[in-house]
Amino acid sequence: MQSVTEQGKHTMEMKVLMRLCGDVIEEEELKKQLEENNGNVSVVLEKLVSKLMNQKVRLYFTKNNKKKSVQKFLNKKKKTEIQVKTCIARHKSQKIKMNKIKDNQELKKDGESEQKLDKLHKEDEKVEIGETKPGINVQGYCVNQDCLAARAKLPVWVNLGFGDASFHSDRTNYRCPDCAQATVTSVVKALFFNSEHSICASDTSIPVKDNHYQCFYIIKPGLSYDLKSKKIRQHATSLEDLIMKSEDAMTSNEILNLVAELQKYLITVVKPSKVKDKVRLLEKIQCDYNGDYNQVFDVGRFTILCDNATKLQTAVAVMKKAEQFNLIVSEDKDFFERQSKTHHRFHNIKLYVPKHDVYVEMQATLKNFTTLEGYTVIENPKLSHLFYEHIRAWKPNNSEEEDLKQASDDTLTKINDIICEWMDEKGIQKMANRYKSNSDIGVLKPPQLSKKTEIEINNNVSLKMIQFVYEQLCKFTPEKVKGKAIYMVLYEYYKKYIVGDKNPASCADFALLLQEARKQEMEEDIAISQALETYIPLQANNYPHMDNDDNKNQDTYDCHQHVITFLEKEKEKEEENKNEQQQQRKAMIIQGKSGSGKSIFCRHLENTLWNNYISNSNNRIPVYISFSKVYDDQNEKDIILQALQGKHISKEIMDAIREKVSFVFIMDGFDEIFDFYRKNENEQYFYDRFNLSQWNAKVIVTCRSKVLNDDDIKSTLIGTNKNDTSMMYLWPFTKQQMSNYIEKFATMKSKSSNKMNNEDNDWTPKQYEETLNNYSNLQKMVEEPFLLQLILSVLPSLVKRYGIGSRITKAQVYEVFNEQWIDIHTQNITSKLAELRMKMDTSKVKATLKQYCLDLGFAMFIQGNQVAIESDFHYEDNHETWSKLDPIIENENTSIVDKKTEMKTANEGESSKTKDAWERYFSGDSVAKYVLRRVGGNKYQFLHKSCQEFYAAQKIILDIISWKPIISGDSVNNQQFQKQFKTHAQSSFSIVNY
């Protein structure tokens, strides 16, 4: 078996022969034999021994030392063969280079030969078929005639991996990498890569052993071979032995000389101050190597830091010349151009130090890519390593932890992609552009850590990981592009896999969810959107308005500005008293008559506060809460939780929100729930009753005037400490406010007239004002914003029905308005049905909708609730809904509400009663509900509470008018009449006992 290359013109072989045979055979004879056998020392020795034995050792002997020389020659022959083979194998790299030099010198005799060499060399590189990998690689020829490599007679590489391999060079059956058939029937060369190995041929019993990272061997025809390859391993007898050897090797002359050589090229070599801590090593050995300490190579690791890729190439080239420093390059792994498992970018070389029988690791990378403290340009350089430390020993206990572990691995890879620039510059910059600091977004504490002790966290790997990421997001404030991109990778991991996509990960996320919920509410509640379009700032005072007061002589103030000033002053007080343990409770109560604009003001205030928050996230977040929608007398203390859950905020994140976020709770319509509220006499003050002290919040509460008496207001809304609560009263519109509103109203109507071609919408502001002046009894009504809206909406109809200057009552205004409201929805329904080619009697539709409103308005009055809930709600396809005939409208003889209402038993829950009460109004695919104002996904109410009250009153009046006593004789006396009426009233108007 012969090495693949020679070193010089048989110089080394000649020296060996002279040293072993020079005292027996003449030098000229040895040269002749060596040249005839093309430098093959083994063949020369075989021939010489045979010749000497045949001639009975009579030739070439000196007279005085014949027997001794022959015996010496024979004893050394076998040993010589082994030494020559081993020497040639160990120095193959040098011989390859020398062989190239020899070839170049011979071919440089003329220019044409040199060009030919270049051409042949390039072609030689092209014919390398297959891939060489760590372990055993053999090169041979495929005999499959359908294989392109076989047809071209190209040698192919086959990787056998680590382990043992035995074969006869002419009788193999390895799988061809080209055709994938087991048709590589002969082997001509062997390569061992990144392994400790041995090779032995059948013509010798002594194997050649080596641990150089790349060893080539010629495979001779007709011989059998045994090849062994195993991964590079340390040779220590214990961990202590490994640490001691590593320490000695790191300070050895061999390593120090190599380091000095690298430093000549202005390459930074970082030697660790000491080897890794034994406790840390034991943990890594157990987790990564199943307790096998001989698989550890970074006990002592040198880091080679280069300014650029060229310097890195230089550093690697110098390290690969380690033989001149009595070191052996045993493993070469290039992860600079191809990605490692964790996407770190480096060139890793293991050097064997024979003197200490230990491997030392040299890791070369660019200065821009290192996270080594003191040398790095990366912000928060420990982050990636600490992240790795948390997941390295993590053994998930369930599928949820497995998912988090996988996501953690992927996140670490993304972080390293940024550090090592596997992600391009544009991608890193794009990621960094999305960065917002914790001070801007306010990262929320993950729910998993809620009410967990440090001991519980430290005993749970996933909780430790969650806490680590949360703390990093709170403390890390990068300024450079890479740092910002890394922060965003960590935040996205935190948001998606720790907090969850459906939950907010920060105050900013929470605010976005609330804004989306508000947007949806506005889209569903068109009436509010239109009312905001015509909003006029309200005036207020510290005392209520009396009907005989003249607004001109009163010193009122802007309601909106007063509330803003109240909130800002309280914020300043908080800053002054932020070190106090207990936060002062603060609330403002806004009272006003029905239709005075309380709800619209609340929505307008909410909009202003949102704009303030968007411009400065340190401001409080507003939350509009309609009492009638969220109040539950069985769970009053969680009213805020219920309100937030209604805005798509999950309960599990509430603790973090409560801890981090400051609010303004705008709680509208306390009067609408007061009848239920006052039944519980345990705690009267609303602030304590609703558990508001748990929240960092200022509270605005609206209440209709005169629903609560003075004592109720004091005990319920003000509480014992009057300094905690501010009281404000809304005042009616002034002439100027009315004029401003009319102008906005006329503008809005003119816009809609372009779409509807309705001549009643073409009125000018002046026309509205002049017409109003003709109705003296309407002047007081139009001082209230909602009544002004109603009157302006129906003013053209009032003129047509009652004429100019007639006396019009409030009941007549509501009657005309509600008729007009039903007419509009009747037209909408019939036009929709017409599009589907379904004809419907308009008068019947109108009558049905009116009866629907009468019955539902009365039911709301009986229930004491302004909101009707559709229990089996789902978002329907509008086309599908309209394509189905409304069962209510279809049966003209069937009333919407069966007057025979089932009496509820006393032990049934209130929620069950309420559900049953509304169920009849949302049965089947009813489209009658669209006459209502939708104020939530499954919640409906009338345009205004006063509209509901009008229908309830009208229902009662119509029922009384239509009722007739049962006459048993010729007549009925007064006593009988009253008795029958009382019985009728109880059965008709006492549907629910409460």
Side-chain angles (χ1 to χ4, degrees), residues 528-764:
I528 286 290
S529 301
Q530 291 177 342
L532 286 172
E533 191 177 344
T534 58
Y535 176 78
I536 296 296
L538 303 178
Q539 293 294 303
N541 217 321
N542 295 331
Y543 53 88
H545 176 267
M546 305 302 291
D547 288 341
N548 57 353
D549 285 341
D550 186 352
N551 288 6
K552 292 181 180 179
N553 299 325
Q554 303 299 330
D555 187 17
T556 59
Y557 48 75
D558 183 275
C559 175
H560 179 80
Q561 187 55 49
H562 187 72
V563 174
I564 296 297
T565 302
F566 163 77
L567 295 173
E568 289 176 351
K569 282 184 178 179
E570 294 309 318
K571 184 178 180 182
E572 291 173 5
K573 289 181 182 179
E574 279 181 11
E575 291 296 324
E576 294 174 3
N577 304 324
K578 61 183 177 181
N579 294 325
E580 293 183 3
Q581 289 184 351
Q582 187 173 2
Q583 178 187 329
Q584 284 190 329
R585 303 180 301 186
K586 286 296 175 183
M588 174 177 277
I589 310 301
I590 301 176
Q591 291 198 69
K593 295 179 180 179
S594 175
S596 59
K598 298 183 294 297
S599 296
I600 298 302
F601 169 75
C602 288
R603 284 300 197 178
H604 176 72
L605 175 64
E606 177 194 30
N607 187 63
T608 301
L609 295 178
W610 268 122
N611 290 334
N612 292 345
Y613 175 83
I614 292 168
S615 62
N616 182 1
S617 59
N618 291 323
N619 286 321
R620 294 178 178 274
I621 292 178
V623 179
Y624 174 81
I625 300 171
S626 172
F627 275 114
S628 60
K629 286 175 62 177
V630 302
Y631 178 75
D632 180 0
D633 59 350
Q634 302 298 314
N635 193 20
E636 293 176 326
K637 283 190 174 293
D638 290 333
I639 189 169
I640 302 299
L641 294 178
Q642 294 171 38
L644 292 177
Q645 285 180 275
K647 298 177 187 294
H648 314 300
I649 308 299
S650 67
K651 189 176 181 179
E652 61 184 9
I653 200 70
M654 290 297 181
D655 287 338
I657 292 171
R658 188 164 25 219
E659 180 181 317
K660 199 94 173 182
V661 182
S662 59
F663 294 95
V664 176
F665 293 140
I666 306 171
M667 308 180 79
D668 186 28
F670 183 79
D671 57 283
E672 297 182 18
I673 55 114
F674 183 64
D675 284 339
F676 297 100
Y677 182 91
R678 64 183 174 184
K679 292 177 184 177
N680 185 349
E681 298 179 355
N682 294 331
E683 175 60 62
Q684 288 300 305
Y685 186 41
F686 84 97
Y687 202 97
D688 295 331
R689 186 94 154 252
F690 295 148
N691 222 10
L692 297 177
S693 59
Q694 288 190 353
W695 302 84
N696 178 13
K698 300 304 173 191
V699 183
I700 310 294
V701 176
T702 69
C703 181
R704 186 193 284 194
S705 301
K706 300 181 180 179
V707 173
L708 280 69
N709 60 39
D710 291 343
D711 290 337
D712 290 333
I713 291 173
K714 289 177 182 178
S715 61
T716 304
L717 297 178
I718 297 178
T720 56
N721 188 354
K722 296 182 180 180
N723 294 328
D724 287 347
T725 307
S726 175
M727 188 71 73
M728 182 174 67
Y729 300 87
L730 297 181
W731 276 44
F733 269 174
T734 63
K735 293 292 184 182
Q736 184 60 50
Q737 285 175 299
M738 284 188 279
S739 179
N740 293 342
Y741 183 89
I742 290 171
E743 187 170 348
K744 283 191 174 184
F745 182 87
T747 302
M748 182 187 71
K749 281 290 185 181
S750 64
K751 290 179 182 178
S752 62
S753 68
N754 295 330
K755 299 178 182 179
M756 301 178 64
N757 296 321
N758 190 337
E759 61 180 15
D760 289 344
N761 293 335
D762 291 334
W763 281 33
T764 64

Side-chain angles (χ1 to χ4, degrees), residues 128-134 137-138 157-159 191 193 214 216:
E128 291 287 329
I129 307 299
E131 183 182 2
T132 57
K133 299 178 182 178
N137 299 273
V138 293
W157 282 109
V158 179
N159 177 256
L191 163 65
F193 185 62
Q214 186 171 263
F216 291 85

